[in-house]
Amino acid sequence: MQIKRHPTKYMGNEYRRLVDENLNWEIRELQTANEPVCTVDGKEVIMLCANNYLNLSTHPKVVKAMIEATKKYGAGAGSDRSISGNMTIHEELDRHLAKFKRAPASLTYQTGFMANEGLVPQLCGRGDLFISDELNHGSIIDGVRLSHADRAIFKHKDTEDLVRVMDEAEKHKPPYEHIWILTDGVFSMDGDLAPLSEIARIAQEHGAGVYVDDAHGEGVLGEGGRGIVSHFNLSRDQVHVEMGTFSKAFGVIGGHITGGEDLRNFAYNKSRTWLLSGGVPPGVAAACIAAIEVLESEPQHVKMVWKNREYFMKAMKDLGFDTGHSETPIVPIMCGDSKTAKDLANFIWKKGIFALPIIYPMVARDKARIRTQLCTKHTKEHLDKAIATFEEGGKKLALI
Ligand SMILES: *Cc1c(COP(=O)(O)O)cnc(C)c1O
């Protein structure tokens, strides 16, 4: 037998194919802290593509908490939380998060990706069904793939289509034992919101579970940044798993889930990513606690990111840009084809504005865009410069 693919030649060939087709990801190098003005690849730029919505990654209280816990407890947890690495500070973080979310229980993971990949496949098995929004995040898609359950997709945010899928599912023989509806809370490429109240209502009618991934809504939506369940004023009986991350608005790293005590107990007994991988360093847990405390005691950060978002959004719309379906501090600047998006991204980059083009296959071929993300510490001057640069580039490329 002759194996067709040479192990490393394959990688080289595949990489060159991506480059040839203009699909390769070029990573840039951030040489300063992730702040509204930073140095990237040796160039000073205004940062318009960070998930650091509240700029908490450099908040003095968060940084201080990380340093102090590291001095006290060391650089690492020394083990998986399931073995001997479950430190008091991890438990404190779980409890503090649940309190912040006004829920019975939370469980924190090493990352949001690991929360989805660990928990989702445990919810449904053979004879069960996942129903997923077509634009859900890759970590949900991978989680679903790890399970033996059936899968169905509903059109993005389309609750009529969700009802159609549910009705189909009701006819399945033998009847499904469990059905879970999975949705992002804020969709990362468009900045639009899941119709969560309606999804919860449909789920309740059919006895299905609701799992929402609120990675981009955490710290931004809801009362004091409590997230999408708070935003829609839903109860833990309506949304059974609220998943989120500390790597975006909270400015640190770590995934989490919130719901009832049963969810927590189930999740840490079943999620392989939690059971079989190291716990986050104590400094990380302490920084996450501090970030939650900042949200509780300094409401101005959440207010400011929304203020900046409104200012930027209005100016871009007034100029005639298509800002898609944005409802959050993620504001896409729609460009049409990939080339226009890349050209506009290059233009603004040369003028000192950093935002990435989002192109096929991340979005449909004719829906290429530049995704901008606003943060708390953008000043009016930063935003005015970004707006003027977009105006110049948009006119040059006949977008406005
Ligand atoms: C970023 C993101 C994740 C992954 O979170 P990390 O904590 O960075 O691993 C999961 N889901 C969605 C929707 C995201 O945007």
Side-chain angles (χ1 to χ4, degrees), residues 13-80:
N13 290 341
E14 183 63 10
Y15 173 67
R16 278 181 290 280
R17 182 187 68 79
L18 291 173
V19 173
D20 285 347
E21 293 179 21
N22 229 337
L23 293 175
N24 60 311
W25 196 264
E26 282 170 43
I27 45 176
R28 296 198 185 272
E29 195 172 311
L30 175 62
Q31 293 155 321
T32 55
N34 201 318
E35 291 270 45
V37 177
C38 44
T39 308
V40 178
D41 289 350
K43 195 174 158 69
E44 188 180 284
V45 291
I46 292 174
M47 173 64 85
L48 261 189
C49 54
N51 294 328
N52 198 12
Y53 297 110
L54 306 178
N55 298 108
L56 295 190
S57 70
T58 47
H59 191 294
K61 286 182 189 165
V62 177
V63 173
K64 181 161 173 262
M66 186 177 261
I67 292 168
E68 284 182 356
T70 304
K71 282 191 183 149
K72 200 162 166 193
Y73 302 112
S79 181
D80 304 353

Side-chain angles (χ1 to χ4, degrees), residues 37-318:
V37 177
C38 44
T39 308
V40 178
D41 289 350
K43 195 174 158 69
E44 188 180 284
V45 291
I46 292 174
M47 173 64 85
L48 261 189
C49 54
N51 294 328
N52 198 12
Y53 297 110
L54 306 178
N55 298 108
L56 295 190
S57 70
T58 47
H59 191 294
K61 286 182 189 165
V62 177
V63 173
K64 181 161 173 262
M66 186 177 261
I67 292 168
E68 284 182 356
T70 304
K71 282 191 183 149
K72 200 162 166 193
Y73 302 112
S79 181
D80 304 353
R81 279 183 73 184
S82 56
I83 316 285
S84 65
N86 188 40
M87 295 178 135
T88 306
I89 201 144
H90 293 126
E91 289 288 325
E92 259 175 45
L93 172 59
D94 291 0
R95 280 195 298 272
H96 204 121
L97 180 66
K99 196 171 111 252
F100 175 69
K101 293 275 187 180
R102 304 199 176 100
S106 294
L107 180 71
T108 54
Y109 287 72
Q110 303 89 331
T111 68
F113 203 110
M114 289 172 81
N116 283 336
E117 204 179 66
L119 180 57
V120 169
Q122 301 303 325
L123 298 173
C124 283
R126 247 177 263 288
D128 300 332
L129 175 70
F130 281 120
I131 304 180
S132 192
D133 185 291
E134 64 181 338
L135 295 189
N136 277 345
H137 190 260
S139 53
I140 293 190
I141 296 172
D142 278 7
V144 167
R145 282 184 185 155
L146 287 174
S147 133
H148 295 290
D150 287 352
R151 305 133 208 210
I153 306 289
F154 64 99
K155 289 196 194 121
H156 179 49
K157 288 180 60 165
D158 186 337
T159 49
E160 267 178 42
D161 200 45
L162 173 60
V163 170
R164 177 191 64 78
V165 172
M166 263 300 180
D167 290 346
E168 283 289 307
E170 293 264 313
K171 292 183 211 140
H172 190 266
K173 291 218 169 54
Y176 286 119
E177 288 206 17
H178 295 281
I179 297 180
W180 276 86
I181 303 174
L182 310 171
T183 185
D184 281 16
V186 174
F187 290 85
S188 52
M189 298 300 163
D190 293 275
D192 53 348
L193 293 189
L196 197 59
S197 302
E198 189 63 7
I199 288 175
R201 192 189 59 72
I202 295 164
Q204 208 153 27
E205 263 177 35
H206 293 82
V210 176
Y211 187 117
V212 65
D213 172 344
D214 197 29
H216 284 278
E218 295 283 346
V220 174
L221 293 175
E223 190 209 332
R226 279 171 176 76
I228 195 160
V229 173
S230 156
H231 175 85
F232 285 112
N233 228 334
L234 296 167
S235 77
R236 303 289 157 191
D237 293 330
Q238 293 168 294
V239 177
H240 309 95
V241 182
E242 180 183 16
M243 173 270 165
T245 178
F246 291 112
S247 76
K248 290 177 177 140
F250 287 97
V252 193
I253 193 161
H256 51 84
I257 52 160
T258 294
E261 279 292 346
D262 287 341
L263 168 68
R264 176 182 154 91
N265 293 332
F266 175 88
Y268 79 73
N269 277 281
K270 303 277 262 187
S271 304
R272 295 227 254 204
T273 50
W274 198 93
L275 289 165
L276 302 177
S277 183
V280 295
V284 167
C288 292
I289 294 173
I292 300 171
E293 283 170 350
V294 168
L295 281 177
E296 289 169 330
S297 59
E298 301 175 14
Q300 65 269 30
H301 304 293
V302 179
K303 288 203 183 97
M304 202 58 207
V305 72
W306 280 100
K307 205 172 147 203
N308 282 340
R309 184 261 180 200
E310 299 307 330
Y311 181 80
F312 182 76
M313 180 91 172
K314 180 172 184 309
M316 294 299 278
K317 274 191 165 165
D318 287 350

